[in-house]
Amino acid sequence: MGYLDELNDVQKAAVTTTEGPVLVIAGPGSGKTRVLTYRIAYILEQGVAPWNILSLTFTNKAAREMKERIANVVGDKVHQVWAGTFHSVFAKILRYNADKLGYPKDFVIYDAQDSKNVIKSIISEMSLDPKVYSPNAIAARISSAKTNLIAPSKYELHEDLMAEDRAARRPYFYQIYKRYMGRNHRSGAMDFDDLLYFLYWLFRKEKSVLEEYRKKFKYVMVDEFQDTNFLQYSILKQLVRYDGSPENICVVGDDAQSIYAFRGATIDNIFGFEKDFKNVQTFKLEQNYRSTNYIVQAANEIISYNNRQIKKEIWTDKNEGNKIKVIKTSSDAEEAKRVVDSILEQKNRNHLKNKEIAILYRTNAQSRIFEEYFRRYDIAYRIYGGLSFYQRKEVKDLVAYLKLTINPNDGEAFRRVVNYPKRGIGKTSIEKLSKYAEAEELSLWEAIDNAPLPARAKDSLLKFKLLIKGFQKKMATVPPSDLARFIFNASGLRPILVADNTPEGIGRIDNINSLLDGIKSYEEQDLIAVSQDEEPKTLTGWLQNISLLTDADKDAQNTDTVTLMSVHAAKGLEFKSVFVTGLEEKLFPSFMSMESNEALDEERRLFYVAVTRAEEYLTLTYAESRYKFGQMTYGTPSRFLSEISTEIVESNVVERPLRTTSTVQGSFKPYLPKKKLPKRKIPNFKPSSIDDIKKGVTVMHEFFGKGKVLQIDGTNDKKVATVYFKDMDKPERRLMLRFAKLQVLS
């Protein structure tokens, strides 16, 4: 067992403690994968049959890599270990027992798009408004119900859930849910959530099946336990918690890296593990093998501010390293330029390769301005975990309308949007139009007037033509950014995107706003010019620049690329140099987290994940202004910046509101978290309507107390109130009214 000599003392203890419940708290860069790998190898070497081991991960890639590493130690028998994702392993069990659930053994598995197509057809059959009953929102609601084990028959008995649906103007959701489940069952189909949902009920109703798998899986291991949801943990407890069970379960995770609440993950699972299982043996992997001391110290300081956490102190025996660089810029455009300049400096001075560098951001829409500068400076890059900004569907759809406005003979743009949003122009009609256009040597646009088409399709095409002509008239009278915003609204794209309030849907709206902001920025300054010639800023000029920016990569095989990614996508990765960008209040942390301590804690964990991706160089940037929703907005530095000691920071900011500390290398002690603001006991407290909150009124807030509204900015659901709370240390607060919960007193 020479491989055990590769482990430090705590790692070795976690590997060799195989009996009973085990909790491994694995800090960033602490050798978590090695511990999991060697633990399975160790159990196999104790004579345990491989099929008696269940190892659950969140990606097939992680499971595959783990098996490969174990094979290097114990050989081919590792392939008989039950190792895979929750969904892949559970699907395997369900296939063996599908008949007990009334499903065929060869049931099909619907992906997300299949599920949405079923939902769309049900919404259509029920004659419901798809803008109100957005398929994405309905799919997310169904997923949430299943994750919380609420069957359709039980859903309508939950008055709270039904009240939420009525408030969202979707009172018929439960009927859609019921039809959806029934239709999938008749089709012999399960969606991804069903693979968890039905396994839970299979184990609950078929005790002989549950007993079979309890005997089979004598040792259960779970990676990234902090990312499990309520349903996943419920299934695990069914398998290992019962009378006489040895409870040989080992879960590995880090509460400080729990960042997927929006997907249904609950941090309560890892916090509650020691209460759910008796005599848990806990091991804390606190030595970081990845990062230099300054980066590790910053991470410790940041996470110390969280209210709920499993106490640990990450440490490293690496040298101090480079101080953390903080860069303040006047705008998002300057931020992008400073980041790219810093990358060029690191490449030249420190001989870093592109692939050793990553730019992280809070929202995918932030990638646009960085992409433009990478193209301008001819630096190879890739978007990780998502499409390049200009390849995203919602962006391409709007750009197609802009192209068609300038050049209605653009056949590709025409095909993309002629029936999007739907106008009753089907594939058959487009095929007939294409044949006629080709025979007459006309563009599709030119062929509309005389093509032999059914009356309904012809009428729809003529209306579409009038729509585009209206955009062309508008082009002569308004600047490019106003025209683009007008087209986004008038084309019908906006209602489709606004109706989808899932995290993905909100991200798509963010991308459109970023695109519109880019056009506004182009009008005002020549950021992405391809020549030094000064020309009037027109939509044609902007589109020309975009066409150059989105050319195919010169070297498709080039793997030496700078990585651009959201912080969520960066989890589990590491780079020599990391740039964490957009560190402003209401961006990172997100404005949606401002009124909840739990949400702010998750944002801080997200920042912690970002910081701990860096091995040697960490750069934090923020902008004093950036375009949002077509307007120049002014931001303040993220509160997270003030949670890092000045001694370990190198900054271009003259005065920074950063704390000082007497911390020295090797003697860091975590700071106590800030005292949680108590909720006030307010009799008959009831938040008022947003429309009732006006300048000059007196209001009550559950945390801040009584205050006076000094100013109202924004419109509709983007209204922000400036309120003076005299009893607070920082009396003046900016609150987004849709989240603020204010009661008008007078």
Side-chain angles (χ1 to χ4, degrees), residues 692-722:
D692 293 335
I693 301 169
K694 304 180 186 303
K695 181 178 178 180
V697 302
T698 302
V699 294
M700 179 66 74
H701 188 277
E702 287 182 287
F703 292 101
F704 304 144
K706 187 184 291 187
K708 185 172 183 178
V709 178
L710 303 179
Q711 186 176 331
I712 300 287
D713 299 308
T715 58
N716 301 325
D717 62 350
K718 295 184 178 64
K719 281 186 179 179
V720 177
T722 302

PDB file of all heavy atoms in Angstrom, residues 692-722:
ATOM      1  N   ASP A 692     -47.302  52.336  -3.842  1.00  0.00           N
ATOM      2  CA  ASP A 692     -47.629  53.198  -2.706  1.00  0.00           C
ATOM      3  C   ASP A 692     -46.388  53.857  -2.093  1.00  0.00           C
ATOM      4  O   ASP A 692     -46.501  54.728  -1.235  1.00  0.00           O
ATOM      5  CB  ASP A 692     -48.340  52.381  -1.621  1.00  0.00           C
ATOM      6  CG  ASP A 692     -49.714  51.900  -2.082  1.00  0.00           C
ATOM      7  OD1 ASP A 692     -50.289  52.555  -2.977  1.00  0.00           O
ATOM      8  OD2 ASP A 692     -50.187  50.874  -1.563  1.00  0.00           O
ATOM      9  N   ILE A 693     -45.219  53.402  -2.511  1.00  0.00           N
ATOM     10  CA  ILE A 693     -43.986  53.932  -1.928  1.00  0.00           C
ATOM     11  C   ILE A 693     -43.493  55.089  -2.785  1.00  0.00           C
ATOM     12  O   ILE A 693     -43.045  54.902  -3.910  1.00  0.00           O
ATOM     13  CB  ILE A 693     -42.916  52.823  -1.818  1.00  0.00           C
ATOM     14  CG1 ILE A 693     -43.445  51.686  -0.942  1.00  0.00           C
ATOM     15  CG2 ILE A 693     -41.616  53.384  -1.248  1.00  0.00           C
ATOM     16  CD1 ILE A 693     -42.611  50.432  -0.971  1.00  0.00           C
ATOM     17  N   LYS A 694     -43.626  56.298  -2.243  1.00  0.00           N
ATOM     18  CA  LYS A 694     -43.295  57.510  -2.995  1.00  0.00           C
ATOM     19  C   LYS A 694     -42.337  58.374  -2.175  1.00  0.00           C
ATOM     20  O   LYS A 694     -42.153  58.174  -0.979  1.00  0.00           O
ATOM     21  CB  LYS A 694     -44.565  58.303  -3.322  1.00  0.00           C
ATOM     22  CG  LYS A 694     -45.621  57.495  -4.082  1.00  0.00           C
ATOM     23  CD  LYS A 694     -46.849  58.327  -4.382  1.00  0.00           C
ATOM     24  CE  LYS A 694     -47.957  57.494  -5.010  1.00  0.00           C
ATOM     25  NZ  LYS A 694     -47.563  56.824  -6.236  1.00  0.00           N
ATOM     26  N   LYS A 695     -41.738  59.320  -2.849  1.00  0.00           N
ATOM     27  CA  LYS A 695     -40.828  60.257  -2.192  1.00  0.00           C
ATOM     28  C   LYS A 695     -41.554  60.984  -1.070  1.00  0.00           C
ATOM     29  O   LYS A 695     -42.676  61.477  -1.239  1.00  0.00           O
ATOM     30  CB  LYS A 695     -40.293  61.259  -3.217  1.00  0.00           C
ATOM     31  CG  LYS A 695     -39.304  62.267  -2.643  1.00  0.00           C
ATOM     32  CD  LYS A 695     -38.784  63.207  -3.731  1.00  0.00           C
ATOM     33  CE  LYS A 695     -37.831  64.233  -3.155  1.00  0.00           C
ATOM     34  NZ  LYS A 695     -37.311  65.155  -4.199  1.00  0.00           N
ATOM     35  N   GLY A 696     -40.918  61.030   0.115  1.00  0.00           N
ATOM     36  CA  GLY A 696     -41.475  61.772   1.242  1.00  0.00           C
ATOM     37  C   GLY A 696     -42.236  60.943   2.246  1.00  0.00           C
ATOM     38  O   GLY A 696     -42.459  61.389   3.378  1.00  0.00           O
ATOM     39  N   VAL A 697     -42.648  59.685   1.885  1.00  0.00           N
ATOM     40  CA  VAL A 697     -43.444  58.895   2.832  1.00  0.00           C
ATOM     41  C   VAL A 697     -42.543  58.269   3.889  1.00  0.00           C
ATOM     42  O   VAL A 697     -41.344  58.065   3.682  1.00  0.00           O
ATOM     43  CB  VAL A 697     -44.254  57.786   2.114  1.00  0.00           C
ATOM     44  CG1 VAL A 697     -45.174  58.384   1.075  1.00  0.00           C
ATOM     45  CG2 VAL A 697     -43.331  56.745   1.476  1.00  0.00           C
ATOM     46  N   THR A 698     -43.117  57.969   5.021  1.00  0.00           N
ATOM     47  CA  THR A 698     -42.417  57.269   6.104  1.00  0.00           C
ATOM     48  C   THR A 698     -42.717  55.783   5.981  1.00  0.00           C
ATOM     49  O   THR A 698     -43.874  55.389   5.768  1.00  0.00           O
ATOM     50  CB  THR A 698     -42.871  57.783   7.473  1.00  0.00           C
ATOM     51  OG1 THR A 698     -42.616  59.193   7.543  1.00  0.00           O
ATOM     52  CG2 THR A 698     -42.113  57.086   8.602  1.00  0.00           C
ATOM     53  N   VAL A 699     -41.682  54.950   6.100  1.00  0.00           N
ATOM     54  CA  VAL A 699     -41.850  53.504   5.899  1.00  0.00           C
ATOM     55  C   VAL A 699     -41.223  52.736   7.057  1.00  0.00           C
ATOM     56  O   VAL A 699     -40.423  53.267   7.824  1.00  0.00           O
ATOM     57  CB  VAL A 699     -41.210  53.046   4.572  1.00  0.00           C
ATOM     58  CG1 VAL A 699     -41.939  53.645   3.385  1.00  0.00           C
ATOM     59  CG2 VAL A 699     -39.724  53.380   4.526  1.00  0.00           C
ATOM     60  N   MET A 700     -41.597  51.454   7.148  1.00  0.00           N
ATOM     61  CA  MET A 700     -41.010  50.560   8.145  1.00  0.00           C
ATOM     62  C   MET A 700     -40.363  49.388   7.418  1.00  0.00           C
ATOM     63  O   MET A 700     -40.934  48.834   6.480  1.00  0.00           O
ATOM     64  CB  MET A 700     -42.086  50.052   9.117  1.00  0.00           C
ATOM     65  CG  MET A 700     -41.568  49.084  10.175  1.00  0.00           C
ATOM     66  SD  MET A 700     -40.401  49.847  11.341  1.00  0.00           S
ATOM     67  CE  MET A 700     -41.537  50.833  12.332  1.00  0.00           C
ATOM     68  N   HIS A 701     -39.140  49.016   7.878  1.00  0.00           N
ATOM     69  CA  HIS A 701     -38.421  47.863   7.325  1.00  0.00           C
ATOM     70  C   HIS A 701     -38.140  46.897   8.474  1.00  0.00           C
ATOM     71  O   HIS A 701     -37.831  47.314   9.592  1.00  0.00           O
ATOM     72  CB  HIS A 701     -37.103  48.323   6.683  1.00  0.00           C
ATOM     73  CG  HIS A 701     -36.388  47.250   5.925  1.00  0.00           C
ATOM     74  ND1 HIS A 701     -35.572  46.328   6.545  1.00  0.00           N
ATOM     75  CD2 HIS A 701     -36.357  46.951   4.600  1.00  0.00           C
ATOM     76  CE1 HIS A 701     -35.074  45.508   5.640  1.00  0.00           C
ATOM     77  NE2 HIS A 701     -35.538  45.865   4.453  1.00  0.00           N
ATOM     78  N   GLU A 702     -38.239  45.594   8.209  1.00  0.00           N
ATOM     79  CA  GLU A 702     -38.107  44.598   9.276  1.00  0.00           C
ATOM     80  C   GLU A 702     -36.733  44.604   9.944  1.00  0.00           C
ATOM     81  O   GLU A 702     -36.607  44.244  11.105  1.00  0.00           O
ATOM     82  CB  GLU A 702     -38.390  43.195   8.722  1.00  0.00           C
ATOM     83  CG  GLU A 702     -39.868  42.962   8.423  1.00  0.00           C
ATOM     84  CD  GLU A 702     -40.117  41.555   7.915  1.00  0.00           C
ATOM     85  OE1 GLU A 702     -39.748  41.286   6.760  1.00  0.00           O
ATOM     86  OE2 GLU A 702     -40.657  40.736   8.680  1.00  0.00           O
ATOM     87  N   PHE A 703     -35.690  44.977   9.216  1.00  0.00           N
ATOM     88  CA  PHE A 703     -34.347  44.986   9.792  1.00  0.00           C
ATOM     89  C   PHE A 703     -33.893  46.399  10.152  1.00  0.00           C
ATOM     90  O   PHE A 703     -33.325  46.630  11.211  1.00  0.00           O
ATOM     91  CB  PHE A 703     -33.339  44.367   8.812  1.00  0.00           C
ATOM     92  CG  PHE A 703     -33.535  42.896   8.609  1.00  0.00           C
ATOM     93  CD1 PHE A 703     -34.175  42.426   7.476  1.00  0.00           C
ATOM     94  CD2 PHE A 703     -33.097  41.982   9.552  1.00  0.00           C
ATOM     95  CE1 PHE A 703     -34.365  41.071   7.283  1.00  0.00           C
ATOM     96  CE2 PHE A 703     -33.280  40.623   9.372  1.00  0.00           C
ATOM     97  CZ  PHE A 703     -33.914  40.160   8.233  1.00  0.00           C
ATOM     98  N   PHE A 704     -34.149  47.365   9.248  1.00  0.00           N
ATOM     99  CA  PHE A 704     -33.595  48.703   9.424  1.00  0.00           C
ATOM    100  C   PHE A 704     -34.470  49.615  10.278  1.00  0.00           C
ATOM    101  O   PHE A 704     -34.019  50.664  10.719  1.00  0.00           O
ATOM    102  CB  PHE A 704     -33.371  49.365   8.054  1.00  0.00           C
ATOM    103  CG  PHE A 704     -32.488  48.564   7.140  1.00  0.00           C
ATOM    104  CD1 PHE A 704     -32.724  48.535   5.768  1.00  0.00           C
ATOM    105  CD2 PHE A 704     -31.425  47.834   7.640  1.00  0.00           C
ATOM    106  CE1 PHE A 704     -31.915  47.803   4.918  1.00  0.00           C
ATOM    107  CE2 PHE A 704     -30.605  47.097   6.804  1.00  0.00           C
ATOM    108  CZ  PHE A 704     -30.853  47.076   5.439  1.00  0.00           C
ATOM    109  N   GLY A 705     -35.734  49.236  10.493  1.00  0.00           N
ATOM    110  CA  GLY A 705     -36.631  50.052  11.298  1.00  0.00           C
ATOM    111  C   GLY A 705     -37.346  51.124  10.493  1.00  0.00           C
ATOM    112  O   GLY A 705     -37.601  50.962   9.297  1.00  0.00           O
ATOM    113  N   LYS A 706     -37.647  52.271  11.168  1.00  0.00           N
ATOM    114  CA  LYS A 706     -38.426  53.341  10.543  1.00  0.00           C
ATOM    115  C   LYS A 706     -37.504  54.244   9.732  1.00  0.00           C
ATOM    116  O   LYS A 706     -36.397  54.566  10.153  1.00  0.00           O
ATOM    117  CB  LYS A 706     -39.146  54.160  11.605  1.00  0.00           C
ATOM    118  CG  LYS A 706     -40.123  55.201  11.036  1.00  0.00           C
ATOM    119  CD  LYS A 706     -40.747  56.045  12.141  1.00  0.00           C
ATOM    120  CE  LYS A 706     -41.690  55.226  13.001  1.00  0.00           C
ATOM    121  NZ  LYS A 706     -42.417  56.091  13.976  1.00  0.00           N
ATOM    122  N   GLY A 707     -37.983  54.640   8.540  1.00  0.00           N
ATOM    123  CA  GLY A 707     -37.180  55.508   7.696  1.00  0.00           C
ATOM    124  C   GLY A 707     -38.039  56.396   6.818  1.00  0.00           C
ATOM    125  O   GLY A 707     -39.259  56.224   6.740  1.00  0.00           O
ATOM    126  N   LYS A 708     -37.391  57.352   6.161  1.00  0.00           N
ATOM    127  CA  LYS A 708     -38.091  58.268   5.274  1.00  0.00           C
ATOM    128  C   LYS A 708     -37.535  58.130   3.866  1.00  0.00           C
ATOM    129  O   LYS A 708     -36.316  58.098   3.666  1.00  0.00           O
ATOM    130  CB  LYS A 708     -37.933  59.708   5.745  1.00  0.00           C
ATOM    131  CG  LYS A 708     -38.747  60.712   4.923  1.00  0.00           C
ATOM    132  CD  LYS A 708     -38.724  62.099   5.535  1.00  0.00           C
ATOM    133  CE  LYS A 708     -39.609  63.059   4.732  1.00  0.00           C
ATOM    134  NZ  LYS A 708     -39.647  64.403   5.335  1.00  0.00           N
ATOM    135  N   VAL A 709     -38.433  58.042   2.876  1.00  0.00           N
ATOM    136  CA  VAL A 709     -38.023  57.895   1.483  1.00  0.00           C
ATOM    137  C   VAL A 709     -37.559  59.242   0.953  1.00  0.00           C
ATOM    138  O   VAL A 709     -38.334  60.201   0.907  1.00  0.00           O
ATOM    139  CB  VAL A 709     -39.172  57.341   0.619  1.00  0.00           C
ATOM    140  CG1 VAL A 709     -38.732  57.231  -0.845  1.00  0.00           C
ATOM    141  CG2 VAL A 709     -39.616  55.980   1.134  1.00  0.00           C
ATOM    142  N   LEU A 710     -36.289  59.304   0.558  1.00  0.00           N
ATOM    143  CA  LEU A 710     -35.714  60.556   0.059  1.00  0.00           C
ATOM    144  C   LEU A 710     -35.850  60.692  -1.450  1.00  0.00           C
ATOM    145  O   LEU A 710     -35.950  61.794  -1.981  1.00  0.00           O
ATOM    146  CB  LEU A 710     -34.222  60.639   0.431  1.00  0.00           C
ATOM    147  CG  LEU A 710     -33.884  60.525   1.923  1.00  0.00           C
ATOM    148  CD1 LEU A 710     -32.369  60.601   2.107  1.00  0.00           C
ATOM    149  CD2 LEU A 710     -34.577  61.616   2.718  1.00  0.00           C
ATOM    150  N   GLN A 711     -35.848  59.548  -2.148  1.00  0.00           N
ATOM    151  CA  GLN A 711     -35.839  59.612  -3.610  1.00  0.00           C
ATOM    152  C   GLN A 711     -36.284  58.273  -4.186  1.00  0.00           C
ATOM    153  O   GLN A 711     -36.063  57.222  -3.583  1.00  0.00           O
ATOM    154  CB  GLN A 711     -34.422  59.943  -4.102  1.00  0.00           C
ATOM    155  CG  GLN A 711     -34.296  60.170  -5.598  1.00  0.00           C
ATOM    156  CD  GLN A 711     -32.878  60.593  -5.957  1.00  0.00           C
ATOM    157  OE1 GLN A 711     -32.179  61.195  -5.161  1.00  0.00           O
ATOM    158  NE2 GLN A 711     -32.455  60.266  -7.162  1.00  0.00           N
ATOM    159  N   ILE A 712     -36.915  58.321  -5.353  1.00  0.00           N
ATOM    160  CA  ILE A 712     -37.289  57.112  -6.095  1.00  0.00           C
ATOM    161  C   ILE A 712     -36.660  57.201  -7.479  1.00  0.00           C
ATOM    162  O   ILE A 712     -36.837  58.189  -8.191  1.00  0.00           O
ATOM    163  CB  ILE A 712     -38.824  56.966  -6.245  1.00  0.00           C
ATOM    164  CG1 ILE A 712     -39.505  56.880  -4.878  1.00  0.00           C
ATOM    165  CG2 ILE A 712     -39.153  55.742  -7.092  1.00  0.00           C
ATOM    166  CD1 ILE A 712     -39.308  55.574  -4.151  1.00  0.00           C
ATOM    167  N   ASP A 713     -35.928  56.165  -7.874  1.00  0.00           N
ATOM    168  CA  ASP A 713     -35.327  56.099  -9.208  1.00  0.00           C
ATOM    169  C   ASP A 713     -35.854  54.872  -9.937  1.00  0.00           C
ATOM    170  O   ASP A 713     -36.271  53.892  -9.316  1.00  0.00           O
ATOM    171  CB  ASP A 713     -33.795  55.994  -9.115  1.00  0.00           C
ATOM    172  CG  ASP A 713     -33.184  57.208  -8.426  1.00  0.00           C
ATOM    173  OD1 ASP A 713     -33.489  58.327  -8.849  1.00  0.00           O
ATOM    174  OD2 ASP A 713     -32.411  57.005  -7.472  1.00  0.00           O
ATOM    175  N   GLY A 714     -35.797  54.920 -11.266  1.00  0.00           N
ATOM    176  CA  GLY A 714     -36.207  53.771 -12.068  1.00  0.00           C
ATOM    177  C   GLY A 714     -37.713  53.714 -12.257  1.00  0.00           C
ATOM    178  O   GLY A 714     -38.475  54.554 -11.754  1.00  0.00           O
ATOM    179  N   THR A 715     -38.158  52.701 -13.006  1.00  0.00           N
ATOM    180  CA  THR A 715     -39.581  52.525 -13.297  1.00  0.00           C
ATOM    181  C   THR A 715     -39.975  51.077 -13.111  1.00  0.00           C
ATOM    182  O   THR A 715     -39.144  50.169 -13.121  1.00  0.00           O
ATOM    183  CB  THR A 715     -39.901  52.948 -14.739  1.00  0.00           C
ATOM    184  OG1 THR A 715     -39.104  52.167 -15.637  1.00  0.00           O
ATOM    185  CG2 THR A 715     -39.615  54.419 -14.978  1.00  0.00           C
ATOM    186  N   ASN A 716     -41.275  50.869 -12.942  1.00  0.00           N
ATOM    187  CA  ASN A 716     -41.869  49.531 -12.847  1.00  0.00           C
ATOM    188  C   ASN A 716     -41.130  48.668 -11.828  1.00  0.00           C
ATOM    189  O   ASN A 716     -40.921  49.100 -10.705  1.00  0.00           O
ATOM    190  CB  ASN A 716     -41.902  48.867 -14.239  1.00  0.00           C
ATOM    191  CG  ASN A 716     -42.704  49.697 -15.225  1.00  0.00           C
ATOM    192  OD1 ASN A 716     -43.691  50.315 -14.845  1.00  0.00           O
ATOM    193  ND2 ASN A 716     -42.289  49.718 -16.475  1.00  0.00           N
ATOM    194  N   ASP A 717     -40.712  47.440 -12.244  1.00  0.00           N
ATOM    195  CA  ASP A 717     -40.077  46.543 -11.274  1.00  0.00           C
ATOM    196  C   ASP A 717     -38.608  46.859 -11.041  1.00  0.00           C
ATOM    197  O   ASP A 717     -37.918  46.139 -10.321  1.00  0.00           O
ATOM    198  CB  ASP A 717     -40.238  45.080 -11.701  1.00  0.00           C
ATOM    199  CG  ASP A 717     -39.562  44.783 -13.031  1.00  0.00           C
ATOM    200  OD1 ASP A 717     -39.131  45.743 -13.708  1.00  0.00           O
ATOM    201  OD2 ASP A 717     -39.471  43.595 -13.390  1.00  0.00           O
ATOM    202  N   LYS A 718     -38.109  47.955 -11.660  1.00  0.00           N
ATOM    203  CA  LYS A 718     -36.715  48.359 -11.442  1.00  0.00           C
ATOM    204  C   LYS A 718     -36.631  49.604 -10.549  1.00  0.00           C
ATOM    205  O   LYS A 718     -35.600  50.258 -10.490  1.00  0.00           O
ATOM    206  CB  LYS A 718     -36.015  48.599 -12.783  1.00  0.00           C
ATOM    207  CG  LYS A 718     -35.879  47.343 -13.635  1.00  0.00           C
ATOM    208  CD  LYS A 718     -35.104  47.614 -14.907  1.00  0.00           C
ATOM    209  CE  LYS A 718     -34.943  46.338 -15.720  1.00  0.00           C
ATOM    210  NZ  LYS A 718     -36.231  45.789 -16.188  1.00  0.00           N
ATOM    211  N   LYS A 719     -37.725  49.934  -9.861  1.00  0.00           N
ATOM    212  CA  LYS A 719     -37.716  51.093  -8.974  1.00  0.00           C
ATOM    213  C   LYS A 719     -36.773  50.867  -7.792  1.00  0.00           C
ATOM    214  O   LYS A 719     -36.785  49.805  -7.161  1.00  0.00           O
ATOM    215  CB  LYS A 719     -39.125  51.360  -8.428  1.00  0.00           C
ATOM    216  CG  LYS A 719     -40.049  52.077  -9.409  1.00  0.00           C
ATOM    217  CD  LYS A 719     -41.356  52.431  -8.728  1.00  0.00           C
ATOM    218  CE  LYS A 719     -42.297  53.178  -9.665  1.00  0.00           C
ATOM    219  NZ  LYS A 719     -43.572  53.508  -9.002  1.00  0.00           N
ATOM    220  N   VAL A 720     -35.959  51.897  -7.507  1.00  0.00           N
ATOM    221  CA  VAL A 720     -35.028  51.854  -6.381  1.00  0.00           C
ATOM    222  C   VAL A 720     -35.312  53.059  -5.491  1.00  0.00           C
ATOM    223  O   VAL A 720     -35.407  54.187  -5.973  1.00  0.00           O
ATOM    224  CB  VAL A 720     -33.559  51.875  -6.862  1.00  0.00           C
ATOM    225  CG1 VAL A 720     -32.620  51.913  -5.672  1.00  0.00           C
ATOM    226  CG2 VAL A 720     -33.268  50.671  -7.735  1.00  0.00           C
ATOM    227  N   ALA A 721     -35.453  52.804  -4.187  1.00  0.00           N
ATOM    228  CA  ALA A 721     -35.725  53.888  -3.239  1.00  0.00           C
ATOM    229  C   ALA A 721     -34.471  54.195  -2.424  1.00  0.00           C
ATOM    230  O   ALA A 721     -33.765  53.273  -1.992  1.00  0.00           O
ATOM    231  CB  ALA A 721     -36.862  53.505  -2.311  1.00  0.00           C
ATOM    232  N   THR A 722     -34.201  55.495  -2.239  1.00  0.00           N
ATOM    233  CA  THR A 722     -33.171  55.917  -1.293  1.00  0.00           C
ATOM    234  C   THR A 722     -33.906  56.266   0.001  1.00  0.00           C
ATOM    235  O   THR A 722     -34.766  57.154   0.025  1.00  0.00           O
ATOM    236  CB  THR A 722     -32.404  57.143  -1.812  1.00  0.00           C
ATOM    237  OG1 THR A 722     -31.812  56.815  -3.077  1.00  0.00           O
ATOM    238  CG2 THR A 722     -31.310  57.545  -0.837  1.00  0.00           C
TER     239      THR A 722
END
